[in-house]
């Protein structure tokens, strides 16, 4: 899901494909684990939210650091 944040402004089509791929892959793995009895639906959904929230939390500080001029000492 992190690639959606990275590409959403510069390459929106890539961002949508990356998001669709990650959600599909997560759903397939989650359904497989539920079928095996290893997880509940709530476990799978919470995992997706945690991954999305972690990517969101990391995106803004990292992008802000990348936008700053490294030679600017102010």
């Amino acid at each position: 899901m992190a690639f959606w944040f990275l590409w959403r402004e510069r390459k929106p089509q890539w961002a949508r494909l990356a998001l669709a791929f990650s959600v599909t892959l997560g759903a397939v793995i989650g359904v497989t684990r539920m079928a095996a009895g290893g997880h509940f639906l709530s476990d799978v959904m919470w995992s997706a939210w945690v991954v999305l929230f972690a990517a969101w939390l990391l995106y803004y500080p990292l992008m802000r650091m990348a936008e700053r001029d490294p030679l600017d000492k102010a």
Side-chain angles (χ1 to χ4, degrees), residues 1 42-57:
M1 290 186 184
S42 61
D43 298 341
V44 175
M45 297 303 293
W46 272 107
S47 297
W49 283 112
V50 167
V51 168
L52 183 63
F53 188 66
W56 179 74
L57 279 177

Side-chain angles (χ1 to χ4, degrees), residues 8-66:
R8 67 184 176 150
E9 292 177 8
R10 294 184 183 159
K11 298 181 186 267
Q13 187 174 8
W14 286 19
R16 285 189 297 272
L17 286 171
L19 185 62
F21 177 75
S22 63
V23 168
T24 302
L25 183 62
V28 168
I29 292 171
V31 167
T32 304
R33 291 297 297 150
M34 286 188 293
H39 289 284
F40 295 109
L41 178 61
S42 61
D43 298 341
V44 175
M45 297 303 293
W46 272 107
S47 297
W49 283 112
V50 167
V51 168
L52 183 63
F53 188 66
W56 179 74
L57 279 177
L58 290 172
Y59 172 75
Y60 288 105
L62 292 175
M63 289 307 289
R64 188 172 278 168
M65 284 175 21

